[in-house]
Amino acid sequence: MPPSVTVVTKLKVQLKLSIARLRMVQQRDEQMGKTARRSMAQLLDAGKIDSARIRVENIIRSDITTELHEILELYCELLLARAGLLEGHTCDPGLEEAAKSIIYAAPKTEIKELQQVRALLAEKYGKEFVLSAMENTDQKVSEKVIKKLSVTPPREELVQGYLEEIARAYGVDWPKRPKDLGDPPEYVDNDVGNDADDSPSGDQAQKGPESPLPADSKAAQEREALSRETPPRSLGQNSPLHINLPSPTTDNPRPKVTLNSVELKPSQKMVDAGIAKKSDDKNSGTSVDELAARFAALKR
C-alpha cells in the first residue's frame, strides 16, 4: 500500500504552482501595461487630458496589482524554502506573516493556486487561524498587502506623476513647456581691435616686455580664471561611478537619489600640501584671494 500524501507535500506542490502562475500573470500584465501606456501617450499628444486622467487610473490599479503579486510570490517562496517548519501542529512565528498574508489576499485575487494554498493552510492549522488572518486581529498580515488590496482612489499627485512619466517616456510635450531658443549671440565690438591697430604704440605694446600688473588686478584675474574652471564634459560618460536609480512604484513614481549630510574632513596629506587648512583654524574661514593663490600654485 503506497504511503499517504501529507498536507505538507500537497502544500509544497501548490506553492510551486502558485509561484509559476504569479510570474505568468505578471508578464501578461506587463505587456498589457505597455499597450495602455502607449494609448495614454496618444491621448496626451491629442490634448485629451480629462480622458487621460480617468483612464490612467486603470494603469495605476494594474501596477498596484502587479506589486501585490510580487509580494505574494515572495511569501510563497519563503514558505517553500522553510517547508521543514510546516511539519509542526502550530504555525512557526517566522512563517506566520507569510501564511496569514496569503490567507488574507487569496480570495481577492484571480490566482486559483493561491486559493488551494489557503485551503491547505486552513486544513493544517485550523479555522481559528484562518479567522484571525481574515480579520487581522493579531496584526500579523503585512501592511503592504492590506494597502495594495484597498479600493481607495489614487491620489491626485500620483495621477499627475504617472501622466508626466508616460509623456516623458514617449516623447510627448506635456505639460507644455516653453521652447528653448538657445543662448543669445555674443556681441563683438570690432572698433576696439581697429583702434588698437591704428594707435602708434600698438606694435610696441605687443612686442615690448609685459608690464607688471598691480597685486589687486592679478588677484582679480586669478579669481576670474578660477570661476571659469569647469569639469570636463566627458566626466559623466567615462566616469567609473554609476548610480542606478530605484525602480518607480505606485508609492514613489519618480524616485530620486538623496545623500545624507556627511561632514567631510581633509586628510593629513591635504593638510601637509597646504590644500586644506589644519583643524586649529578650520573655523577661521578662508578668503577668496587665498583660494585663488592655492589654485594658481596647483596649476603650476
Side-chain angles (χ1 to χ4, degrees), residues 94-205:
L95 301 178
E96 199 167 358
E97 179 180 342
K100 290 192 173 182
S101 297
I102 291 175
I103 292 173
Y104 180 87
K108 304 177 179 64
T109 63
E110 59 175 338
I111 312 299
K112 295 181 179 180
E113 289 78 3
L114 276 181
Q115 298 178 14
Q116 293 294 327
V117 172
R118 177 178 182 270
L120 290 172
L121 288 173
E123 182 180 351
K124 176 68 178 175
Y125 298 118
K127 293 182 179 180
E128 294 183 0
F129 185 84
V130 176
L131 288 175
S132 64
M134 293 300 298
E135 298 175 0
N136 196 21
T137 54
D138 51 2
Q139 305 296 321
K140 293 294 183 179
V141 180
S142 172
E143 293 182 2
K144 290 184 178 180
V145 172
I146 297 174
K147 184 177 180 181
K148 301 300 180 186
L149 289 172
S150 63
V151 292
T152 56
R155 306 184 311 274
E156 182 64 27
E157 310 89 63
L158 184 61
V159 173
Q160 182 71 16
Y162 258 73
L163 292 176
E164 290 181 2
E165 288 298 315
I166 292 173
R168 183 186 60 82
Y170 288 91
V172 179
D173 185 14
W174 188 88
K176 299 293 182 181
R177 302 174 181 85
K179 295 183 178 180
D180 187 9
L181 301 179
D183 298 332
E186 296 182 0
Y187 176 74
V188 179
D189 192 358
N190 296 325
D191 296 337
V192 176
N194 296 332
D195 294 342
D197 294 339
D198 296 339
S199 61
S201 59
D203 296 338
Q204 296 179 2

Side-chain angles (χ1 to χ4, degrees), residues 9 64 106 119 126 136 244 254 261:
T9 304
I64 292 175
N136 196 21
N244 294 326
R254 288 175 288 187
S261 57

Side-chain angles (χ1 to χ4, degrees), residues 7-239:
V7 177
V8 176
T9 304
K10 295 179 182 178
L11 189 56
K12 289 165 65 175
V13 173
Q14 292 299 325
L15 285 171
K16 292 179 181 179
L17 293 175
S18 299
I19 293 172
R21 177 67 65 181
L22 285 167
R23 290 176 181 173
M24 290 176 58
V25 172
Q26 290 175 45
Q27 293 177 359
R28 181 202 66 187
D29 293 345
E30 184 179 356
Q31 295 299 326
M32 294 175 62
K34 290 180 180 179
T35 304
R37 281 170 167 79
R38 192 178 299 111
S39 302
M40 200 63 52
Q42 294 174 356
L43 289 176
L44 293 175
D45 194 20
K48 299 179 180 179
I49 310 302
D50 294 336
S51 178
R53 287 186 180 278
I54 295 174
R55 295 185 182 184
V56 78
E57 294 189 10
N58 292 329
I59 298 178
I60 295 175
R61 174 51 56 185
S62 177
D63 287 353
I64 292 175
T65 304
T66 300
E67 293 171 5
L68 173 66
H69 289 163
E70 291 176 355
I71 296 172
L72 295 177
E73 179 187 346
L74 291 175
Y75 282 145
C76 290
E77 291 179 350
L78 178 64
L79 291 178
L80 189 61
R82 301 178 181 178
L85 299 176
L86 296 172
E87 299 289 348
H89 296 289
T90 58
C91 184
D92 188 88
L95 301 178
E96 199 167 358
E97 179 180 342
K100 290 192 173 182
S101 297
I102 291 175
I103 292 173
Y104 180 87
K108 304 177 179 64
T109 63
E110 59 175 338
I111 312 299
K112 295 181 179 180
E113 289 78 3
L114 276 181
Q115 298 178 14
Q116 293 294 327
V117 172
R118 177 178 182 270
L120 290 172
L121 288 173
E123 182 180 351
K124 176 68 178 175
Y125 298 118
K127 293 182 179 180
E128 294 183 0
F129 185 84
V130 176
L131 288 175
S132 64
M134 293 300 298
E135 298 175 0
N136 196 21
T137 54
D138 51 2
Q139 305 296 321
K140 293 294 183 179
V141 180
S142 172
E143 293 182 2
K144 290 184 178 180
V145 172
I146 297 174
K147 184 177 180 181
K148 301 300 180 186
L149 289 172
S150 63
V151 292
T152 56
R155 306 184 311 274
E156 182 64 27
E157 310 89 63
L158 184 61
V159 173
Q160 182 71 16
Y162 258 73
L163 292 176
E164 290 181 2
E165 288 298 315
I166 292 173
R168 183 186 60 82
Y170 288 91
V172 179
D173 185 14
W174 188 88
K176 299 293 182 181
R177 302 174 181 85
K179 295 183 178 180
D180 187 9
L181 301 179
D183 298 332
E186 296 182 0
Y187 176 74
V188 179
D189 192 358
N190 296 325
D191 296 337
V192 176
N194 296 332
D195 294 342
D197 294 339
D198 296 339
S199 61
S201 59
D203 296 338
Q204 296 179 2
Q206 294 177 359
K207 297 179 182 178
E210 186 178 343
S211 59
L213 295 175
D216 296 341
S217 177
K218 229 177 197 182
Q221 288 184 359
E222 290 176 352
R223 285 197 299 271
E224 185 179 356
L226 181 62
S227 63
R228 285 200 302 266
E229 292 295 330
T230 57
R233 295 180 182 273
S234 61
L235 181 61
Q237 300 174 355
N238 301 328
S239 174

Side-chain angles (χ1 to χ4, degrees), residues 244-261:
N244 294 326
L245 291 176
S247 302
T249 62
T250 55
D251 297 328
N252 187 12
R254 288 175 288 187
K256 297 180 181 180
V257 176
T258 58
L259 297 177
N260 296 329
S261 57

